[in-house]
Amino acid sequence: MKVKKRTSKLWKLFPFNLTERTVVTFNNTLFTSSENLTISQDLMCHEAVHSERQKNFFGAIIWWCRYIVSAKFRLQEELIAYKRQMSFIESVVKDKNTQFIYRRRCY
């Protein structure tokens, strides 16, 4: 997946409160809100799920329209991505206390 710094035009399209830690996946590109933001492996895994589910450029357009309009769709997509993210974390981090810290960060 390619990683690019945001463009102000792209960021204006999103009706959400975007912060300096926000990342957005469109097709096979991950846009960050800051040049200095480090993308962790577990976050990359999470965003890869969104990329896979968007499938291609036109699929990404449809996916984003649904994501913006439908809270139910947004929740469904985030749960799928967080599940994969947590599976990745659990495969790498064996300590249950550390896993708990990651879970709190994810949600």
Side-chain angles (χ1 to χ4, degrees):
M1 187 178 317
K2 295 179 277 185
V3 178
K4 293 184 177 182
K5 186 181 181 295
R6 72 174 178 185
T7 62
S8 59
K9 290 178 185 175
L10 174 69
W11 243 232
K12 290 177 183 176
L13 295 174
F14 295 96
F16 306 112
N17 182 20
L18 303 176
T19 69
E20 287 298 312
R21 297 187 60 211
T22 300
V23 296
V24 173
T25 299
F26 185 87
N27 192 14
N28 63 350
T29 304
L30 177 68
F31 294 92
T32 69
S33 56
S34 169
E35 283 185 32
N36 301 325
L37 185 65
T38 302
I39 309 298
S40 63
Q41 288 182 306
D42 63 295
L43 179 57
M44 189 64 87
C45 187
H46 176 104
E47 295 302 324
V49 172
H50 295 317
S51 177
E52 291 165 13
R53 294 182 61 79
Q54 292 172 15
K55 295 186 172 81
N56 56 44
F57 181 82
F58 295 108
I61 293 171
I62 293 166
W63 187 94
W64 271 106
C65 288
R66 291 183 69 196
Y67 191 91
I68 290 169
V69 171
S70 172
K72 184 177 179 180
F73 179 78
R74 192 165 46 252
L75 176 62
Q76 170 191 316
E77 293 298 301
E78 289 303 326
L79 288 174
I80 293 167
Y82 278 124
K83 183 177 180 181
R84 172 101 55 91
Q85 183 177 5
M86 288 310 305
S87 292
F88 173 82
I89 290 168
E90 289 169 357
S91 73
V92 175
V93 177
K94 300 303 179 191
D95 179 64
K96 297 292 183 191
N97 291 324
T98 306
Q99 288 178 7
F100 177 76
I101 292 167
Y102 274 99
R103 279 191 195 94
R104 290 191 63 199
R105 187 187 76 185
C106 288
Y107 304 110

